[in-house]
Amino acid sequence: NGNTSGSITIEAPAVAGTNTITLPASSGTLATTATAGKVLQVVGVTYAISTSTASATMVTTGLTASITPSSISSKILVIANVNGARTAATFTGVKVQLYKDASAIQTPQYYASYSTTSEDTQSCIPFCYLDSPATTSSITYTMYFNRNVGSGTVSVQANNSASTITLMEIAA
């Protein structure tokens, strides 16, 4: 018997015999049907250890999070905030990229903290990215950075300021 509360009550048959109820496997309709746009799960990470480089090669910020989508049609909304993007020289910029597993998928900032007048410029880099991973395997999202232009050292999470990443699985 069902009702409008969203729950269902199942009563045993009135006659003796085999009383077996078969439900779909976890990959069946019962377990995976969700209204489009509904948030199915959320993963959040905060990282606050200062990381520096003088290289033009991308290096990890240390900010990373993993999620395992429950459906192949799910979307993953990545909301990140890289704090304390700092340059220690004029005409120097910080490039920040979002990686999915081993591949760059989004570049929210090419020249963060770039300045022609200051040798100590810090900024915050907030952004969102909607991914369509088409998998039910675990996915790891990691923020990377480098010195994109100029000379000297660039940092993220300067002075141990906290950066965050939030992954939200959205039903499609």
Side-chain angles (χ1 to χ4, degrees), residues 24-36 38 40 69-74 136 169 171-172:
S26 64
S27 63
T29 305
L30 181 67
T32 59
T33 300
T35 305
K38 180 179 177 182
L40 302 176
S70 61
S71 172
I72 199 164
S73 63
S74 290
T136 55
E169 180 184 4

Side-chain angles (χ1 to χ4, degrees), residues 1-9:
N1 296 331
N3 59 38
T4 60
S5 70
S7 64
I8 298 173
T9 303

Side-chain angles (χ1 to χ4, degrees), residues 1 8-14 17-25 30:
N1 296 331
I8 298 173
T9 303
I10 300 172
E11 296 178 7
T18 303
N19 300 322
T20 303
I21 299 172
T22 304
L23 297 175
L30 181 67

Side-chain angles (χ1 to χ4, degrees), residues 43-48 60-67 78 80 82 97-102 138-144 157 163-167:
V43 175
V45 173
T46 299
Y47 190 78
T60 182
T61 64
L63 185 62
T64 187
S66 297
I67 193 167
V78 180
V82 178
Q97 284 189 311
L98 173 64
Y99 277 61
K100 178 170 69 175
D101 296 324
S138 179
I139 308 162
T140 300
Y141 295 91
T142 304
M143 297 305 304
Y144 280 76
Q157 290 101 224
S163 292
T164 60
I165 187 168
T166 303
L167 309 177

Side-chain angles (χ1 to χ4, degrees), residues 49-120:
I49 297 174
S50 183
T51 306
S52 300
T53 188
S55 174
T57 302
M58 299 303 289
V59 296
T60 182
T61 64
L63 185 62
T64 187
S66 297
I67 193 167
T68 303
S70 61
S71 172
I72 199 164
S73 63
S74 290
K75 308 288 185 194
I76 303 297
L77 178 60
V78 180
I79 304 168
N81 187 26
V82 178
N83 271 319
R86 178 181 180 268
T87 60
T90 56
F91 305 105
T92 301
V94 180
K95 179 180 180 179
V96 175
Q97 284 189 311
L98 173 64
Y99 277 61
K100 178 170 69 175
D101 296 324
S103 300
I105 59 171
Q106 176 70 13
T107 304
Q109 185 58 257
Y110 275 94
Y111 300 108
S113 299
Y114 183 87
S115 175
T116 60
T117 59
S118 175
E119 292 185 1
D120 188 8

